[in-house]
Amino acid sequence: MGRSPCCSKEGLNRGAWTAMEDKILTDYITTHGEGKWRNLPKRAGLKRCGKSCRLRWLNYLRPDIKRGNITGDEEELIIRLHNLLGNRWSLIAGRLPGRTDNEIKNYWNTNIGKKIQGGGHQPSSTTSCKQIILSSHNDREKLPYYNPTKGHSKASHPSTHKAAINSSRVVRTKASRCTKVVIPAAQHPQKLNHQLDHHGHVDDTTKPALVHEPSVDVDNHDRDDQVKDDQAVGLQVPLLPLISSDDNYNNSSEFMMDLELDESLLSDLPNFDFLHFTYFGNGGGDDDHIDGNNFDHNNVSTTYNEKAQLSSPKSDDLAAEDMMYGVDLGSMAALVDPEVLDWIRD
DNA sequence: AATGGTGCCAACCGCCTAATC
DNA sequence: AGATTAGGCGGTTGGCACCAT
């Protein structure tokens, strides 16, 4: 019944990989391709667990991996995505071609977290981490962040912040297969004019954000395949969705789709505190400022909920119909595409 | 030069979900 | 349908390098 065991851990090598092991693994995968990790060690002649082989390949040996020198743009992107997704390192890594989830996780724990904790962060680019985070969550700085200066003290380790993160306004996602296709609102071409190029800058020539094929497992889908898929359908892969004040809330569906919103994420929407989820904007105080190089916005600080209330009013019956999980879908209309709402109602 | 503290990162651990039988 | 496992993920840790004293 079921599958046979992955591997016996007895007699297997552990710890750091040798150059010879790396070569064997690389040669084998170059010849036979990825996957079948369970049988790979035996076939390749490695005394390693398949799981270990997979990890070594994905995090270190893949030819397309960029190592070290995380740029300021990448750092900003990591911060923004982490702000939205929390410790979903694989999702964050999926938006940073050539970067691994492990690398981003390590970078966060050793660099960004410390900078934020210190409060005096000045990243390699012009925008501070703190500014980026405070721009959307002015109270986020109250959360305890990992302080690496204490080494591996459990008292200061990120794991102790799970509760804080889980209780924060991070959108929680789950790894699951996307079974619905949501066509972005292409009828609003002006909304598609602002995408970030791979340097985090606005690219007015960018094509629409991608909508994945329905059978694609967006969470587990390999990011390189994802990029290939994106390119295959002639779409540029935006590294980060951009909400502009010009677009107002109307492009929120693309915003969510670009973050690979699936059913599970939608199911988490009721837990999302829209009331306090403010737009990134460059108006207001210092802490509410985003570098204009990346966000050329007007002074926007209206919350999604406020936007929703400004949107089309609904009758009581409709309002009742639209209540789901205690959330007014009418209010959510400001956040998601109408077609998405229809689908949720179904 | 020796020692201790700290930072960094590769690798392991344990859990979860989908796949398989 | 239920049991079992592979693959994937985030959390955690061991060990090396670097630096200060």
Side-chain angles (χ1 to χ4, degrees), chain A residues 6 19 23 46 86 93 150 173 178 188 197 246-247 276 335 344:
Chain A
C6 163
K23 185 177 187 310
L46 285 167
K150 296 296 182 183
T173 63
C178 178
H188 306 299
D197 64 20
D246 293 336
D247 301 343
H276 294 94
L335 181 67
I344 292 172

Side-chain angles (χ1 to χ4, degrees), chain A residues 37-71:
Chain A
W37 299 110
R38 170 193 165 202
N39 298 323
L40 189 150
K42 187 186 295 182
R43 293 184 178 178
L46 285 167
K47 290 184 176 180
R48 291 276 181 175
C49 174
K51 213 169 180 175
S52 180
C53 293
R54 173 186 163 272
L55 203 65
R56 181 65 176 173
W57 173 255
L58 292 179
N59 287 340
Y60 199 83
L61 297 176
R62 281 189 310 165
D64 55 336
I65 283 181
K66 280 192 286 185
R67 304 197 63 79
N69 298 325
I70 288 185
T71 66

Side-chain angles (χ1 to χ4, degrees), chain A residues 279-328:
Chain A
Y279 289 87
F280 292 119
N282 67 348
D286 292 339
D287 284 345
D288 198 28
H289 179 265
I290 290 291
D291 190 308
N293 288 336
N294 293 321
F295 289 88
D296 186 18
H297 298 163
N298 294 325
N299 185 352
V300 175
S301 59
T302 311
T303 67
Y304 277 111
N305 208 34
E306 288 165 347
K307 292 287 186 184
Q309 289 169 358
L310 291 173
S311 64
S312 60
K314 304 179 76 66
S315 71
D316 289 345
D317 289 342
L318 282 175
E321 179 187 344
D322 284 348
M323 289 301 292
M324 188 167 121
Y325 305 115
V327 167
D328 183 1

Side-chain angles (χ1 to χ4, degrees), chain A residues 15-279:
Chain A
W17 280 63
T18 66
M20 180 60 71
E21 287 177 314
D22 283 347
K23 185 177 187 310
I24 292 171
L25 179 60
T26 303
D27 288 347
Y28 182 87
I29 293 178
T30 300
T31 304
H32 299 92
E34 294 183 40
K36 310 283 185 185
W37 299 110
R38 170 193 165 202
N39 298 323
L40 189 150
K42 187 186 295 182
R43 293 184 178 178
L46 285 167
K47 290 184 176 180
R48 291 276 181 175
C49 174
K51 213 169 180 175
S52 180
C53 293
R54 173 186 163 272
L55 203 65
R56 181 65 176 173
W57 173 255
L58 292 179
N59 287 340
Y60 199 83
L61 297 176
R62 281 189 310 165
D64 55 336
I65 283 181
K66 280 192 286 185
R67 304 197 63 79
N69 298 325
I70 288 185
T71 66
D73 288 338
E74 286 178 314
E75 182 177 308
E76 286 185 21
L77 188 51
I78 291 169
I79 293 166
R80 292 177 202 275
L81 288 171
H82 185 273
N83 203 27
L84 255 169
L85 300 169
N87 294 355
R88 307 292 194 160
W89 304 117
S90 62
L91 281 177
I92 294 172
R95 290 291 161 189
L96 288 154
R99 301 295 184 186
T100 69
D101 54 354
N102 208 31
E103 183 178 18
I104 291 171
K105 179 171 59 180
N106 284 332
Y107 187 75
W108 180 273
N109 287 336
T110 59
N111 290 69
I112 302 175
K114 178 175 65 176
K115 290 171 182 175
I116 293 169
Q117 166 75 17
H121 166 69
Q122 287 301 325
S124 44
S125 62
T126 55
T127 308
S128 77
C129 294
K130 200 172 182 181
Q131 282 177 327
I132 294 167
I133 287 179
L134 290 176
S135 66
S136 61
H137 303 298
N138 287 334
D139 56 352
R140 177 65 58 85
E141 64 177 342
K142 295 171 185 172
L143 293 176
Y145 276 92
Y146 174 44
N147 182 359
T149 62
K150 296 296 182 183
H152 298 130
S153 164
K154 288 177 183 283
S156 62
H157 203 275
S159 62
T160 64
H161 306 140
K162 264 185 179 178
I165 290 171
N166 287 339
S167 63
S168 69
R169 299 185 182 103
V170 164
V171 176
R172 305 293 297 175
T173 63
K174 295 175 184 175
S176 64
R177 197 170 291 276
C178 178
T179 58
K180 297 273 185 176
V181 177
V182 179
I183 306 302
Q187 66 269 28
H188 306 299
Q190 77 280 6
K191 296 188 295 185
L192 308 173
N193 289 340
H194 304 290
Q195 298 286 346
L196 297 181
D197 64 20
H198 284 216
H199 303 288
H201 299 115
V202 174
D203 178 5
D204 286 339
T205 64
T206 308
K207 292 179 180 178
L210 168 77
V211 176
H212 280 292
E213 292 295 316
S215 61
V216 172
D217 185 341
V218 294
D219 203 356
N220 295 330
H221 195 42
D222 182 84
R223 68 175 158 278
D224 302 316
D225 291 337
Q226 175 182 318
V227 171
K228 288 171 187 171
D229 291 345
D230 295 350
Q231 291 169 343
V233 295
L235 298 175
Q236 176 169 339
V237 185
L239 288 181
L240 180 70
L242 178 62
I243 303 174
S244 82
S245 59
D246 293 336
D247 301 343
N248 217 329
Y249 51 85
N250 289 325
N251 73 343
S252 51
S253 63
E254 293 153 26
F255 166 76
M256 300 302 276
M257 283 307 299
D258 196 75
L259 287 166
E260 302 174 338
L261 180 71
D262 60 14
E263 298 105 308
S264 300
L265 176 53
L266 283 172
S267 71
D268 285 325
L269 284 175
N271 299 323
F272 192 70
D273 187 352
F274 299 116
L275 182 62
H276 294 94
F277 187 79
T278 56
Y279 289 87

